[in-house]
Short mmCIF file of all heavy atoms in Angstrom, two decimals:
data_model
loop_
_atom_site.label_atom_id
_atom_site.label_comp_id
_atom_site.label_asym_id
_atom_site.label_seq_id
_atom_site.Cartn_x
_atom_site.Cartn_y
_atom_site.Cartn_z
N ARG V 131 -54.80 10.96 7.73
CA ARG V 131 -55.37 10.20 6.61
C ARG V 131 -55.80 8.81 7.09
O ARG V 131 -56.81 8.29 6.64
CB ARG V 131 -54.36 10.11 5.48
CG ARG V 131 -54.81 9.33 4.28
CD ARG V 131 -53.81 9.49 3.14
NE ARG V 131 -52.63 8.63 3.31
CZ ARG V 131 -51.62 8.63 2.45
NH1 ARG V 131 -51.63 9.47 1.41
NH2 ARG V 131 -50.58 7.83 2.61
N GLY V 132 -55.00 8.23 7.93
CA GLY V 132 -55.37 6.96 8.56
C GLY V 132 -55.41 5.77 7.62
O GLY V 132 -56.07 4.76 7.91
N ARG V 133 -54.71 5.84 6.49
CA ARG V 133 -54.75 4.70 5.53
C ARG V 133 -53.69 3.66 5.86
O ARG V 133 -53.83 2.48 5.54
CB ARG V 133 -54.56 5.23 4.09
CG ARG V 133 -54.86 4.22 2.99
CD ARG V 133 -54.76 4.85 1.62
NE ARG V 133 -53.37 5.17 1.27
CZ ARG V 133 -53.04 6.02 0.30
NH1 ARG V 133 -53.96 6.68 -0.37
NH2 ARG V 133 -51.77 6.24 0.01
N GLU V 134 -52.60 4.10 6.49
CA GLU V 134 -51.50 3.19 6.80
C GLU V 134 -51.33 3.04 8.31
O GLU V 134 -51.71 3.94 9.08
CB GLU V 134 -50.18 3.73 6.22
CG GLU V 134 -50.08 3.69 4.71
CD GLU V 134 -50.77 4.85 4.02
OE1 GLU V 134 -50.99 5.89 4.67
OE2 GLU V 134 -51.13 4.72 2.84
N ASP V 135 -50.70 1.93 8.70
CA ASP V 135 -50.40 1.76 10.13
C ASP V 135 -49.11 2.51 10.45
O ASP V 135 -48.45 3.04 9.56
CB ASP V 135 -50.32 0.27 10.50
CG ASP V 135 -49.16 -0.46 9.79
OD1 ASP V 135 -48.14 0.20 9.45
OD2 ASP V 135 -49.29 -1.68 9.54
N GLU V 136 -48.73 2.53 11.73
CA GLU V 136 -47.58 3.35 12.16
C GLU V 136 -46.29 2.92 11.46
O GLU V 136 -45.50 3.76 11.00
CB GLU V 136 -47.41 3.26 13.68
CG GLU V 136 -46.36 4.25 14.22
CD GLU V 136 -46.33 4.30 15.74
OE1 GLU V 136 -47.19 3.67 16.39
OE2 GLU V 136 -45.44 5.00 16.27
N ALA V 137 -46.08 1.61 11.30
CA ALA V 137 -44.84 1.14 10.64
C ALA V 137 -44.81 1.60 9.19
O ALA V 137 -43.78 2.06 8.68
CB ALA V 137 -44.77 -0.38 10.72
N GLN V 138 -45.96 1.52 8.53
CA GLN V 138 -46.01 1.94 7.12
C GLN V 138 -45.80 3.45 7.01
O GLN V 138 -45.14 3.94 6.08
CB GLN V 138 -47.37 1.55 6.51
CG GLN V 138 -47.54 0.04 6.34
CD GLN V 138 -48.98 -0.33 6.02
OE1 GLN V 138 -49.94 0.29 6.51
NE2 GLN V 138 -49.15 -1.36 5.20
N ARG V 139 -46.33 4.21 7.98
CA ARG V 139 -46.13 5.66 7.96
C ARG V 139 -44.67 6.00 8.16
O ARG V 139 -44.10 6.83 7.45
CB ARG V 139 -47.00 6.34 9.02
CG ARG V 139 -48.48 6.22 8.79
CD ARG V 139 -49.27 7.27 9.55
NE ARG V 139 -49.10 7.14 11.00
CZ ARG V 139 -49.87 6.38 11.77
NH1 ARG V 139 -50.82 5.64 11.22
NH2 ARG V 139 -49.70 6.34 13.08
N THR V 140 -44.00 5.27 9.08
CA THR V 140 -42.57 5.51 9.32
C THR V 140 -41.75 5.21 8.07
O THR V 140 -40.87 5.98 7.68
CB THR V 140 -42.09 4.63 10.50
OG1 THR V 140 -42.87 4.94 11.65
CG2 THR V 140 -40.60 4.85 10.78
N GLN V 141 -42.14 4.12 7.41
CA GLN V 141 -41.41 3.75 6.17
C GLN V 141 -41.59 4.83 5.11
O GLN V 141 -40.63 5.24 4.44
CB GLN V 141 -41.95 2.41 5.67
CG GLN V 141 -41.20 1.80 4.49
CD GLN V 141 -41.72 2.28 3.13
OE1 GLN V 141 -42.87 2.73 3.02
NE2 GLN V 141 -40.86 2.22 2.12
N ARG V 142 -42.82 5.34 5.00
CA ARG V 142 -43.07 6.39 4.00
C ARG V 142 -42.29 7.67 4.32
O ARG V 142 -41.68 8.27 3.45
CB ARG V 142 -44.56 6.68 3.91
CG ARG V 142 -45.32 5.70 3.07
CD ARG V 142 -46.81 5.76 3.30
NE ARG V 142 -47.56 5.02 2.30
CZ ARG V 142 -47.56 3.70 2.14
NH1 ARG V 142 -46.78 2.98 2.93
NH2 ARG V 142 -48.28 3.11 1.20
N LEU V 143 -42.28 8.04 5.60
CA LEU V 143 -41.58 9.29 5.98
C LEU V 143 -40.08 9.18 5.73
O LEU V 143 -39.41 10.19 5.47
CB LEU V 143 -41.89 9.62 7.44
CG LEU V 143 -43.34 10.04 7.69
CD1 LEU V 143 -43.63 10.11 9.19
CD2 LEU V 143 -43.66 11.37 7.02
N SER V 144 -39.54 7.96 5.73
CA SER V 144 -38.09 7.80 5.50
C SER V 144 -37.72 8.13 4.05
O SER V 144 -36.56 8.38 3.74
CB SER V 144 -37.67 6.35 5.81
OG SER V 144 -38.18 5.48 4.80
N ARG V 145 -38.72 8.16 3.15
CA ARG V 145 -38.45 8.47 1.74
C ARG V 145 -38.66 9.94 1.42
O ARG V 145 -38.53 10.35 0.27
CB ARG V 145 -39.42 7.68 0.82
CG ARG V 145 -39.20 6.23 0.72
CD ARG V 145 -40.35 5.61 -0.10
NE ARG V 145 -40.21 5.83 -1.53
CZ ARG V 145 -39.77 4.87 -2.37
NH1 ARG V 145 -39.42 3.69 -1.90
NH2 ARG V 145 -39.69 5.10 -3.66
N ALA V 146 -39.03 10.75 2.45
CA ALA V 146 -39.48 12.11 2.17
C ALA V 146 -38.45 12.90 1.36
O ALA V 146 -38.81 13.67 0.47
CB ALA V 146 -39.81 12.83 3.47
N ALA V 147 -37.17 12.71 1.64
CA ALA V 147 -36.15 13.59 1.05
C ALA V 147 -35.66 13.12 -0.31
O ALA V 147 -34.73 13.69 -0.88
CB ALA V 147 -34.97 13.68 2.00
N LEU V 148 -36.33 12.11 -0.89
CA LEU V 148 -35.88 11.59 -2.20
C LEU V 148 -35.82 12.74 -3.21
O LEU V 148 -36.76 13.51 -3.34
CB LEU V 148 -36.88 10.54 -2.68
CG LEU V 148 -36.42 9.55 -3.75
CD1 LEU V 148 -35.33 8.64 -3.22
CD2 LEU V 148 -37.61 8.71 -4.24
N SER V 149 -34.69 12.87 -3.93
CA SER V 149 -34.58 13.99 -4.86
C SER V 149 -35.08 13.59 -6.26
O SER V 149 -35.20 12.41 -6.58
CB SER V 149 -33.11 14.44 -4.94
OG SER V 149 -32.33 13.32 -5.33
N LEU V 150 -35.34 14.63 -7.06
CA LEU V 150 -35.75 14.41 -8.45
C LEU V 150 -34.51 14.20 -9.31
O LEU V 150 -33.44 14.73 -8.97
CB LEU V 150 -36.55 15.62 -8.96
CG LEU V 150 -38.07 15.66 -8.67
CD1 LEU V 150 -38.37 15.57 -7.20
CD2 LEU V 150 -38.70 16.91 -9.27
N PRO V 151 -34.61 13.47 -10.42
CA PRO V 151 -33.46 13.31 -11.31
C PRO V 151 -33.09 14.63 -11.97
O PRO V 151 -33.94 15.52 -12.11
CB PRO V 151 -33.94 12.29 -12.34
CG PRO V 151 -35.42 12.40 -12.34
CD PRO V 151 -35.83 12.79 -10.94
N ASP V 152 -31.84 14.77 -12.39
CA ASP V 152 -31.42 15.96 -13.14
C ASP V 152 -31.97 15.87 -14.58
O ASP V 152 -32.33 14.79 -15.04
CB ASP V 152 -29.88 16.04 -13.21
CG ASP V 152 -29.27 16.26 -11.83
OD1 ASP V 152 -29.95 16.87 -10.98
OD2 ASP V 152 -28.16 15.74 -11.59
N GLY V 153 -32.02 17.03 -15.26
CA GLY V 153 -32.30 17.02 -16.70
C GLY V 153 -33.75 17.01 -17.10
O GLY V 153 -34.08 16.93 -18.28
N LEU V 154 -34.68 17.11 -16.15
CA LEU V 154 -36.10 17.16 -16.53
C LEU V 154 -36.38 18.51 -17.19
O LEU V 154 -35.84 19.55 -16.76
CB LEU V 154 -36.97 16.98 -15.28
CG LEU V 154 -36.88 15.61 -14.60
CD1 LEU V 154 -37.58 15.64 -13.24
CD2 LEU V 154 -37.48 14.53 -15.49
N SER V 155 -37.24 18.52 -18.21
CA SER V 155 -37.41 19.76 -18.99
C SER V 155 -38.23 20.81 -18.23
O SER V 155 -38.03 22.00 -18.40
CB SER V 155 -38.06 19.46 -20.34
OG SER V 155 -39.26 18.74 -20.14
N ARG V 156 -39.18 20.41 -17.40
CA ARG V 156 -39.99 21.41 -16.69
C ARG V 156 -40.41 20.90 -15.33
O ARG V 156 -41.14 19.92 -15.23
CB ARG V 156 -41.24 21.78 -17.52
CG ARG V 156 -42.01 22.95 -16.91
CD ARG V 156 -42.95 23.60 -17.88
NE ARG V 156 -43.61 24.76 -17.26
CZ ARG V 156 -44.94 24.89 -17.18
NH1 ARG V 156 -45.72 23.98 -17.70
NH2 ARG V 156 -45.48 25.96 -16.60
N VAL V 157 -39.94 21.54 -14.27
CA VAL V 157 -40.30 21.18 -12.89
C VAL V 157 -40.84 22.43 -12.20
O VAL V 157 -40.20 23.48 -12.19
CB VAL V 157 -39.08 20.65 -12.11
CG1 VAL V 157 -39.47 20.33 -10.67
CG2 VAL V 157 -38.50 19.40 -12.79
N ILE V 158 -42.07 22.31 -11.69
CA ILE V 158 -42.70 23.43 -10.97
C ILE V 158 -42.75 23.03 -9.50
O ILE V 158 -43.41 22.04 -9.16
CB ILE V 158 -44.15 23.66 -11.49
CG1 ILE V 158 -44.16 23.89 -13.01
CG2 ILE V 158 -44.81 24.83 -10.75
CD1 ILE V 158 -45.55 23.75 -13.63
N GLU V 159 -42.01 23.73 -8.65
CA GLU V 159 -42.02 23.38 -7.23
C GLU V 159 -43.09 24.21 -6.53
O GLU V 159 -43.15 25.43 -6.67
CB GLU V 159 -40.65 23.63 -6.58
CG GLU V 159 -40.64 23.18 -5.11
CD GLU V 159 -39.23 23.05 -4.53
OE1 GLU V 159 -38.40 22.37 -5.15
OE2 GLU V 159 -38.99 23.66 -3.47
N ILE V 160 -43.96 23.52 -5.80
CA ILE V 160 -45.10 24.18 -5.14
C ILE V 160 -45.15 23.75 -3.67
O ILE V 160 -45.15 22.56 -3.36
CB ILE V 160 -46.43 23.78 -5.83
CG1 ILE V 160 -46.45 24.24 -7.29
CG2 ILE V 160 -47.63 24.31 -5.05
CD1 ILE V 160 -46.73 25.72 -7.51
N ASP V 161 -45.23 24.72 -2.78
CA ASP V 161 -45.33 24.42 -1.35
C ASP V 161 -46.81 24.23 -0.98
O ASP V 161 -47.62 25.14 -1.19
CB ASP V 161 -44.72 25.59 -0.55
CG ASP V 161 -44.74 25.32 0.95
OD1 ASP V 161 -45.34 24.30 1.39
OD2 ASP V 161 -44.15 26.12 1.71
N ASN V 162 -47.14 23.07 -0.48
CA ASN V 162 -48.53 22.78 -0.08
C ASN V 162 -48.67 22.80 1.43
O ASN V 162 -49.48 22.07 2.02
CB ASN V 162 -48.97 21.41 -0.64
CG ASN V 162 -50.44 21.12 -0.39
OD1 ASN V 162 -51.29 22.02 -0.44
ND2 ASN V 162 -50.76 19.87 -0.08
N SER V 163 -47.92 23.68 2.09
CA SER V 163 -48.03 23.77 3.56
C SER V 163 -49.26 24.59 3.97
O SER V 163 -49.77 24.45 5.08
CB SER V 163 -46.78 24.43 4.15
OG SER V 163 -45.64 23.66 3.86
N GLY V 164 -49.73 25.43 3.05
CA GLY V 164 -50.88 26.29 3.38
C GLY V 164 -52.18 25.63 2.98
O GLY V 164 -52.29 24.40 2.95
N SER V 165 -53.17 26.46 2.62
CA SER V 165 -54.49 25.89 2.27
C SER V 165 -54.44 25.23 0.90
O SER V 165 -53.68 25.64 0.01
CB SER V 165 -55.55 27.00 2.26
OG SER V 165 -55.46 27.72 1.04
N LEU V 166 -55.28 24.23 0.74
CA LEU V 166 -55.34 23.51 -0.55
C LEU V 166 -55.76 24.46 -1.66
O LEU V 166 -55.19 24.43 -2.76
CB LEU V 166 -56.33 22.35 -0.42
CG LEU V 166 -56.36 21.30 -1.51
CD1 LEU V 166 -54.98 20.70 -1.76
CD2 LEU V 166 -57.36 20.20 -1.17
N ASP V 167 -56.69 25.36 -1.36
CA ASP V 167 -57.13 26.32 -2.38
C ASP V 167 -55.99 27.20 -2.86
O ASP V 167 -55.84 27.46 -4.07
CB ASP V 167 -58.25 27.22 -1.80
CG ASP V 167 -59.64 26.61 -2.03
OD1 ASP V 167 -59.71 25.58 -2.77
OD2 ASP V 167 -60.60 27.13 -1.50
N ASP V 168 -55.17 27.64 -1.92
CA ASP V 168 -54.02 28.49 -2.31
C ASP V 168 -53.06 27.71 -3.19
O ASP V 168 -52.50 28.24 -4.16
CB ASP V 168 -53.30 29.01 -1.06
CG ASP V 168 -54.11 30.08 -0.33
OD1 ASP V 168 -55.14 30.54 -0.90
OD2 ASP V 168 -53.74 30.44 0.81
N THR V 169 -52.86 26.44 -2.85
CA THR V 169 -51.97 25.59 -3.67
C THR V 169 -52.52 25.46 -5.08
O THR V 169 -51.79 25.60 -6.06
CB THR V 169 -51.83 24.20 -3.01
OG1 THR V 169 -51.26 24.37 -1.71
CG2 THR V 169 -50.96 23.27 -3.85
N VAL V 170 -53.82 25.20 -5.19
CA VAL V 170 -54.43 25.04 -6.52
C VAL V 170 -54.32 26.34 -7.31
O VAL V 170 -53.98 26.35 -8.50
CB VAL V 170 -55.90 24.60 -6.37
CG1 VAL V 170 -56.63 24.64 -7.70
CG2 VAL V 170 -55.97 23.19 -5.78
#
Side-chain angles (χ1 to χ4, degrees):
R131 179 172 79 182
R133 192 175 71 198
E134 290 81 22
D135 64 27
E136 188 172 354
Q138 290 168 325
R139 295 200 299 270
T140 302
Q141 187 272 338
R142 279 164 168 67
L143 291 170
S144 71
R145 289 174 77 103
L148 199 66
S149 57
L150 274 57
D152 295 331
L154 294 169
S155 53
R156 187 162 183 236
V157 178
I158 304 164
E159 184 164 308
I160 298 282
D161 182 353
N162 186 37
S163 299
S165 80
L166 192 54
D167 270 352
D168 288 350
T169 299
V170 171

